[in-house]
Amino acid sequence: MLEFITDEKPQPGEVREIADGVFWLRFSLPMTGLNHINLYAIRDGDGWVVVDTGIAMAESKRQWEGHFRKLMGGRPVNRVICTHLHPDHTGLAGWICRKFGAPLLMTRGEYFLCRLLVADTGHPAPQAGINFYRKVGFTTDQIELYKKRFGGFGKAVSELPHAYDRLTDGEWGKIGGRTWRIIIGSGHSPEHACLYCEELGLCLTGDQLLPNISSNVSVWPTEPEGNPLDDWISSCHKLIAELPEDTLIGPAHGIPFRGAHRRLNKLIEHHEKALDRLYEFCREPKMATEVYSVLFRRPIDDGNRIMAVGEAVAHLNCLKGRGLVSRRLNDAGQFTYKSRVPRVA
């Protein structure tokens, strides 16, 4: 069992100090099934460091303005750190950086991919994306919906600064007089930064380690042959090696907890079992859109189909990378996957 620091779910706008000088801020999200995000503010001498920023919407700005006045007492934000590129983490980074003249700190892969995705807004869906979703098995109507929604990423992100300070794996620096070290994971995003302070026994893990849900691990049209699930599993093993079991985990969603190794081993087991089920299911050729029942308990609809098929392809690409399935194009130009029998060692 994980050891949560509280049994009560905070309300949006609430603040709790989870370690000396480290404050947990709860913000709301306009998403079905994921209605909140945890952000963190750390005292830093005469100012503050903000870790993740929430999505770019008026309600989040109002919450931040309240924290700037009450929690932070009008003192400045010295640095803005974003664990990774997704809009609920980077959405107000540019706004806060401009407000305080603060630098933005991110890993290189996250910063530049975020800039690239924001730049898609206002442009039509690329042919590469259309081809990708056609090959994975989308219907004509589903492809039309993808085209209609393309570019939505940038609508949830305020303009990013045109320069940033790069975070690298193993790098360390001072916040509030204490040493914090960067631990980079991958799979959910390319170069996700976790912030670990050994002195406090605290790691702010963003989406790289969550207590209740498994972060989405998807293949996207920009890298159709990617193997992010293998990266994710490797990153889970890396965090087990890097973090003591009793580390207090400050996740981006859910309640801070202890029991990192238990949770990480559970995540590894979850995906390995899913891969085993998928291998058995593909004794007969299957498209990515035909394997949802093996991977997901919830129904797949227009609201979650893009993420579901991305995760399905991630699992299939992982099996392919391990030599356990073969892939071919059928007569309709769609990829089908078939298990190799016997299994390749």
Side-chain angles (χ1 to χ4, degrees), residues 18 27 29 31 46 141 152-153 182 190 218 229 248 264 326 330:
I18 61 171
F27 277 55
L29 289 177
M31 301 177 187
D46 293 332
D141 287 345
F153 185 101
I182 301 301
S218 281
L229 185 57
L248 176 60
L264 288 161
S326 59
N330 63 18

Side-chain angles (χ1 to χ4, degrees), residues 163-306:
Y164 79 111
D165 292 340
R166 182 186 177 191
L167 300 175
T168 58
D169 192 36
E171 173 186 0
W172 62 270
K174 296 286 187 177
I175 304 177
R178 294 187 175 93
T179 298
W180 291 74
R181 181 162 57 88
I182 301 301
I183 303 173
I184 290 180
S186 188
H188 177 63
S189 63
E191 283 187 291
H192 185 299
C194 301
L195 285 74
Y196 174 51
C197 179
E198 183 177 5
E199 181 180 343
L200 291 174
L202 172 67
C203 190
L204 306 180
T205 57
D207 285 347
Q208 196 67 40
L209 176 54
L210 302 175
N212 305 117
I213 59 175
S214 175
S215 298
N216 179 260
V217 178
S218 281
V219 169
W220 301 98
T222 46
E223 192 180 348
E225 299 300 324
N227 190 354
L229 185 57
D230 189 61
D231 294 337
W232 174 261
I233 293 171
S234 295
S235 293
C236 287
H237 286 292
K238 177 181 179 179
L239 284 172
I240 291 171
E242 295 273 3
L243 298 177
E245 169 69 349
D246 62 352
T247 301
L248 176 60
I249 302 299
H253 308 283
I255 294 172
F257 68 97
R258 289 183 173 85
H261 293 186
R262 279 168 281 174
R263 181 58 182 155
L264 288 161
N265 280 314
K266 186 72 173 178
L267 289 168
I268 294 167
E269 180 186 23
H270 165 79
H271 285 295
E272 291 292 351
K273 285 183 175 180
L275 289 167
D276 287 342
R277 293 195 304 271
L278 191 57
Y279 173 83
E280 294 301 327
F281 192 66
C282 290
R283 295 286 185 175
E284 297 298 326
K286 297 290 190 303
M287 294 188 299
T289 52
E290 296 176 319
V291 303
Y292 297 149
S293 63
V294 176
L295 299 176
F296 310 115
R297 295 177 182 175
R298 63 190 185 279
I300 305 305
D301 55 29
D302 288 343
N304 59 18
R305 184 172 286 106
I306 290 286

Side-chain angles (χ1 to χ4, degrees), residues 18-84:
I18 61 171
D20 184 28
V22 181
F23 294 83
W24 167 30
L25 317 179
R26 185 89 153 189
F27 277 55
S28 57
L29 289 177
M31 301 177 187
T32 302
L34 192 63
N35 62 3
H36 74 278
I37 181 169
N38 300 326
L39 313 176
Y40 297 90
I42 308 172
R43 283 201 192 100
D44 185 36
D46 293 332
W48 293 83
V49 170
V50 165
V51 180
D52 289 335
T53 66
I55 204 166
M57 62 181 187
E59 182 180 348
S60 295
K61 287 184 177 181
R62 285 194 296 270
Q63 284 184 240
W64 271 121
E65 293 287 6
H67 292 317
F68 296 150
R69 290 192 306 272
K70 297 177 182 178
L71 171 64
M72 301 181 183
R75 294 187 296 276
V77 173
N78 295 334
R79 285 169 283 177
V80 175
I81 299 175
C82 290
T83 58
H84 64 296

